[in-house]
Amino acid sequence: MKMKKKRRNIFSYVILSVWSLIIIGILGWVLMSSFKTNLEIYQTPWAMPAKATLENYHSAWSTMKMSSYFMNSVVIVFASILGCTVISALTSFALTRYEFKGRKALLNLLIFSMSVPSQLLLIPLYDQLLNLGLVNTRTGLILIYIALYFPFSLFVLTGFFRTLPKELEESAIIDGCGEFRMFARIMLPLVQPGLICISVFNFVSIWNEYMLALVFASKQNLRTISLGMYALKDSMMYTSNWGGLFAAIVIMLIPTIIIFLTLQKYVIQGLTLGAVKG
């Protein structure tokens, strides 16, 4: 039995190692190609660049308007994450720490909404934003992201708030701490791994999201980086500036890589704490 389990683990490790090497190889090739001229990409696609050039990055950032797409995404993503985190933290705290009629039904309903495909919501959401005059605005897209990523954030944070002992609240109240101060100063720091976990997952999802951005913010001056990348891909059919396209891909990947390398231990801690305690 142990031998069979050991063989199964070895097989899993081999598959994961091969898959990781493939992904690393592709990313390395894209990074290497972003420093090449178009001629080098065609003549020596697998070789290191003879002389690395930053012209592709300058072209992607300025000529291809990646700077505009990048800043749009930064504003929309971070505003969405902030709004979603604040609302989900307050809601999960209220639903797990206070007793009131219909609490469990409301919590189950909110979590159940995670199972509704976003494609089914496109028409009603568009109709509502159209009535509010928020179609093709950053505010409208931010509100959509907050609403759609709220259930996942609530699901994660409720698992953390449930684990906090009631004695903490009672001690804070005895010491004269108000409700909001007790939440902000005592409860919120204790669920920090959960807050970081949902922030990272929401960042990756919203940063790479395409469909909602295409429907609710299709104007050129509002395009996010995912829409911009698709537009750049279409333009390559006529300009063949492949070096610039590879540079644009690297620019799009940099924030995600930096955030994961910086916060990966907090993400793992958040997931494991949620698995054990929630």
Side-chain angles (χ1 to χ4, degrees), residues 181-194:
R181 188 178 178 187
M182 179 261 294
F183 167 75
R185 296 288 184 86
I186 298 175
M187 297 300 182
L188 210 56
L190 293 175
V191 297
Q192 185 184 37

Side-chain angles (χ1 to χ4, degrees), residues 25-254:
I26 293 173
L27 292 177
W29 179 73
V30 170
L31 178 63
M32 181 180 64
S33 300
S34 68
F35 293 102
K36 290 182 176 181
T37 62
N38 277 349
L39 184 61
E40 283 185 296
I41 292 174
Y42 283 112
Q43 289 184 345
T44 56
W46 309 112
M48 294 291 291
K51 185 178 181 181
T53 176
L54 294 176
E55 182 61 31
N56 294 327
Y57 287 91
H58 180 269
S59 175
W61 189 255
S62 302
T63 307
M64 299 180 183
K65 299 182 179 179
M66 279 294 292
S67 58
S68 175
Y69 305 145
F70 188 91
M71 292 310 300
N72 283 337
S73 285
V74 168
V75 172
I76 291 171
V77 169
F78 281 97
S80 302
I81 291 174
L82 178 62
C84 187
T85 302
V86 171
I87 295 173
S88 60
L90 290 169
T91 307
S92 58
F93 175 76
L95 290 175
T96 54
R97 312 306 290 187
Y98 298 109
E99 294 289 341
F100 55 89
K101 189 176 181 180
R103 178 180 64 89
K104 291 184 178 180
L106 178 59
L107 178 59
N108 291 334
L109 180 63
L110 290 172
I111 294 177
F112 173 76
S113 63
M114 292 173 56
S115 63
V116 180
S118 58
Q119 292 86 347
L120 295 179
L121 303 174
L122 287 179
I123 295 177
L125 285 175
Y126 189 89
D127 184 61
Q128 290 184 15
L129 288 188
L130 189 63
N131 292 332
L132 295 172
L134 294 177
V135 175
N136 279 322
T137 63
R138 289 191 184 95
T139 303
L141 188 58
I142 290 169
L143 291 175
I144 293 295
Y145 285 144
I146 291 175
L148 294 182
Y149 289 92
F150 165 74
F152 167 75
S153 304
L154 179 71
F155 173 73
V156 174
L157 290 180
T158 49
F160 282 88
F161 278 111
R162 281 198 187 104
T163 64
L164 302 181
K166 286 282 187 181
E167 290 76 12
L168 288 174
E169 298 174 52
E170 296 170 356
S171 300
I173 293 173
I174 291 173
D175 291 337
C177 204
E179 293 286 340
F180 184 78
R181 188 178 178 187
M182 179 261 294
F183 167 75
R185 296 288 184 86
I186 298 175
M187 297 300 182
L188 210 56
L190 293 175
V191 297
Q192 185 184 37
L195 296 174
I196 295 176
C197 182
I198 64 171
S199 297
V200 171
F201 276 101
N202 287 341
F203 174 86
V204 174
S205 300
I206 299 174
W207 183 265
N208 296 300
E209 200 281 323
Y210 177 81
M211 182 187 66
L212 297 172
L214 177 65
V215 174
F216 297 105
S218 58
K219 284 186 178 180
Q220 184 170 358
N221 63 324
L222 297 176
R223 283 178 179 172
T224 59
I225 200 165
S226 56
L227 292 180
M229 284 300 304
Y230 192 82
L232 290 181
K233 188 267 295 181
D234 287 342
S235 68
M236 291 304 101
M237 296 173 60
Y238 306 101
T239 61
S240 298
N241 185 8
W242 301 112
L245 181 61
F246 287 131
I249 294 173
V250 174
I251 292 172
M252 182 178 180
L253 291 174
I254 284 175

